[in-house]
Amino acid sequence: MAYNLLPCDREQSFLMPPSLKEWIGDGDLAWFIVDTVDQVDLGEFYAAYRSDGWGAAAYDPAMLVGVLLYAYCQGIRSSRKIERALERDIGFRVVAANQQPDFRTICRFRAEREEALEHLFVQVLRLCHEAGLVKLGIVALDGSKVAANASLAANRSHDTLEAEVRQMLEDAKKVDAEEDALFGPERRGDEMPDGLRRRADRLKRLQEAKAHLEREAEAAAEKARQRLEQREAEEAITGKKKRGRKPKEVVTEPTDEARANTTDPDSRIMKARQGYVQGYNVQTVVNQDQIIVAVGVTQEANDVQQLKPMLDTMERILDALGIVERPRAALADAGYWSEANAATKVSSELFIATTKDWKQRKLLREQGCPRGRIPLHLSPRELMERKLLTKRGKALYKARGIVVEPVYGQVKEHQGFRRFMRRGFDAASSEASLVATTHNLLKLWRSGRVFLTC
């Protein structure tokens, strides 16, 4: 029986098209990233290179920036996976002009250009604004816990850290004595073995974690001292002792409950929906087109202290872009509620839930709009609850769920942003900014409002 099939000959030689423009279509994301990089100012990246032409040739920073942006758009953040994609993925080959930097080059470039990569966020936001995607009728705030590149099991108390540091120093002293006997006191011998090098790195991390606990204890003691002094001053003025629980005694040493992570001392234990995670709290301000207009990372598990800082960050970014318009309303869930936040002076009217979302939605469904004049005796909480029950308040707060919450779903599911790749607060801030930048780039590309030609 004769089959009429196309031949499948793996020994056949093929020639790729001689022009990169023929490898993939003009409307592909890869070409969009290439053209976007051409439109942003990369002077901050080039400033680190010699301008006299001396030295070994380096990869073009524009190409490396494009590779990172394209990789993060694809949800690929590991430098090793990026290197592999540069060999196998046609889109990566186009963005990299068929060059193949190794994972060390990619990792080093990303680590050494943290601040410059963060500044790309504002430049990409400017492109979104020019495309008409930065409407500022309403904005919504939210926070989400993202796991650090560290384990919960790596947390230690101050006493444990002190004992481990002491033990490692004793081990190092013993090794020094053995090497002196072997090589002599004046000779180094060969390079330090890998085992000892790893031990030295671990000792450094243990010492950093121990110092972190001590700094936190000193900061807490200073706050307690200030509260105690303020209480004593008020009692001296009134001549009466204040009612209520007395402030705790000032303790300058870390408590037994205090913990620090030996892998990433900057990360914190935080409660998330799936349980406790070792990580950071990523904050965003999102507009009605689901464009992130401000992003930040905090070590605080609670959102309540992040309302004004994030709105202030948004204001600074809008000023940098020359945008005079300000959001008419800012929406936030119950995690941001406090009477102090309700009284915060910002350019936008605040709509902050006073209870959990499911309770808030139930209340909005079941209760009708309040009528008549606002009673004079209402507390700040009652005033906010009344405002949320108005027809306008209901409509605005209902929009919060479709403005900000899908953004976290998109960056966590599509871009795989469930765990930081790098360690340390600065590295986490830079990575969160890069994720927000590429999220906005994807929104701009999919909107079809900008037609970039290769």
Side-chain angles (χ1 to χ4, degrees):
M1 184 180 293
Y3 294 101
N4 185 19
L5 302 176
L6 292 172
C8 180
D9 183 4
R10 292 181 177 83
E11 299 299 325
Q12 173 68 46
S13 297
F14 295 96
L15 291 176
M16 292 287 288
S19 173
L20 283 176
K21 295 180 180 179
E22 299 178 39
W23 288 14
I24 52 177
D26 290 348
D28 194 87
L29 176 63
W31 284 120
F32 176 81
I33 294 297
V34 170
D35 292 332
T36 298
V37 172
D38 288 341
Q39 294 186 39
V40 299
D41 180 11
L42 299 179
E44 198 171 355
F45 291 92
Y46 284 96
Y49 294 83
R50 294 185 61 156
S51 58
D52 55 11
W54 285 78
Y59 286 108
D60 189 341
M63 181 272 289
L64 292 171
V65 168
V67 167
L68 282 175
L69 291 178
Y70 186 69
Y72 273 66
C73 284
Q74 301 289 338
I76 302 174
R77 295 179 294 127
S78 163
S79 56
R80 286 176 170 82
K81 290 183 179 180
I82 293 174
E83 180 188 2
R84 192 177 303 118
L86 286 167
E87 296 176 358
R88 302 183 177 187
D89 189 286
I90 193 73
F92 276 91
R93 280 180 172 260
V94 167
V95 175
N98 214 25
Q99 296 177 344
Q100 295 178 358
D102 63 16
F103 74 91
R104 295 179 185 85
T105 301
I106 297 166
C107 185
R108 187 165 54 247
F109 181 83
R110 180 170 52 184
E112 293 175 353
R113 307 291 186 275
E114 285 179 355
E115 190 172 346
L117 288 170
E118 285 190 58
H119 294 166
L120 282 178
F121 174 79
V122 177
Q123 297 198 58
V124 169
L125 193 60
R126 178 177 283 109
L127 296 178
C128 293
H129 175 59
E130 292 171 358
L133 292 178
V134 187
K135 301 185 188 73
L136 293 171
I138 61 172
V139 294
L141 294 82
D142 204 2
S144 182
K145 312 302 188 300
V146 177
N149 191 354
S151 169
L152 274 170
N155 286 288
R156 302 286 188 275
S157 67
H158 183 266
D159 290 344
T160 303
L161 288 169
E162 196 168 32
E164 289 190 29
V165 168
R166 190 184 307 113
Q167 183 61 46
M168 293 195 76
L169 289 174
E170 290 176 359
D171 291 345
K173 186 176 179 181
K174 181 180 178 181
V175 171
D176 286 341
E178 291 174 354
E179 289 181 346
D180 286 345
L182 182 61
F183 301 113
E186 302 298 328
R187 295 184 60 192
R188 179 173 69 94
D190 201 357
E191 293 294 330
M192 183 182 289
D194 288 341
L196 291 181
R197 193 156 53 233
R198 288 194 296 271
R199 183 178 296 173
D201 292 340
R202 176 168 172 75
L203 176 60
K204 182 180 178 182
R205 293 200 303 270
L206 289 172
Q207 290 172 331
E208 287 175 355
K210 180 172 174 285
H212 162 72
L213 285 179
E214 291 169 352
R215 287 194 301 271
E216 279 199 340
E218 290 175 2
E222 180 61 28
K223 287 183 180 179
R225 190 179 296 108
Q226 290 175 0
R227 288 195 297 268
L228 189 59
E229 290 174 355
Q230 183 180 359
R231 181 186 180 96
E232 291 173 350
E234 291 174 357
E235 288 177 346
I237 293 172
T238 60
K240 298 180 180 179
K241 288 190 176 182
K242 295 190 70 173
R243 300 178 62 184
R245 184 179 299 175
K246 293 182 180 179
K248 294 181 180 179
E249 295 182 2
V250 177
V251 179
T252 57
E253 295 295 325
T255 62
D256 293 338
E257 293 79 17
R259 294 289 186 273
N261 195 277
T262 57
T263 307
D264 184 358
D266 290 343
S267 63
R268 299 289 185 272
I269 300 174
M270 298 186 177
K271 189 175 182 180
R273 290 183 180 179
Q274 66 272 27
Y276 286 95
V277 297
Q278 186 74 34
Y280 296 92
N281 186 354
V282 177
Q283 297 281 316
T284 57
V285 182
V286 180
N287 80 339
Q288 58 208 59
D289 290 312
Q290 295 183 358
I291 297 293
I292 299 175
V293 293
V295 61
V297 173
T298 179
Q299 296 164 308
E300 296 183 18
N302 201 311
D303 294 334
V304 71
Q305 300 297 330
Q306 308 309 315
L307 180 76
K308 192 170 189 312
M310 288 305 299
L311 291 177
D312 288 345
T313 299
M314 179 193 70
E315 296 270 356
R316 289 194 297 271
I317 291 173
L318 295 179
D319 288 340
L321 295 175
I323 300 176
V324 180
E325 181 189 3
R326 291 296 181 266
R328 187 174 67 255
L331 318 174
D333 63 16
Y336 294 88
W337 168 255
S338 73
E339 292 193 1
N341 281 346
T344 299
K345 301 296 182 183
V346 292
S347 58
S348 309
E349 184 180 3
L350 295 174
F351 291 81
I352 310 173
T354 59
T355 186
K356 293 182 179 180
D357 257 17
W358 69 271
K359 293 182 179 179
Q360 190 73 35
R361 287 194 293 268
K362 182 180 178 182
L363 191 67
L364 295 177
R365 285 195 306 268
E366 294 177 351
Q367 293 199 18
C369 299
R371 297 174 179 271
R373 294 183 178 180
I374 300 174
L376 299 176
H377 65 278
L378 295 184
S379 66
R381 184 187 189 95
E382 291 169 332
L383 282 171
M384 181 61 71
E385 288 174 346
R386 181 184 174 90
K387 182 164 70 169
L388 289 171
L389 287 173
T390 62
K391 187 176 181 180
R392 175 169 173 262
K394 282 184 176 182
L396 284 172
Y397 191 78
K398 186 177 180 180
R400 191 200 72 84
I402 59 175
V403 169
V404 66
E405 290 185 1
V407 170
Y408 282 108
Q410 291 157 17
V411 298
K412 287 189 173 184
E413 293 298 327
H414 175 67
Q415 294 181 254
F417 186 48
R418 293 186 173 276
R419 188 183 187 90
F420 287 100
M421 296 298 298
R422 300 176 58 231
R423 295 166 182 166
F425 181 79
D426 291 339
S429 298
S430 177
E431 189 169 356
S433 178
L434 194 52
V435 169
T437 300
T438 48
H439 167 83
N440 288 346
L441 274 174
L442 287 168
K443 289 290 182 183
L444 181 59
W445 176 58
R446 289 169 180 152
S447 72
R449 300 190 187 185
V450 175
F451 298 94
L452 300 175
T453 58
C454 54

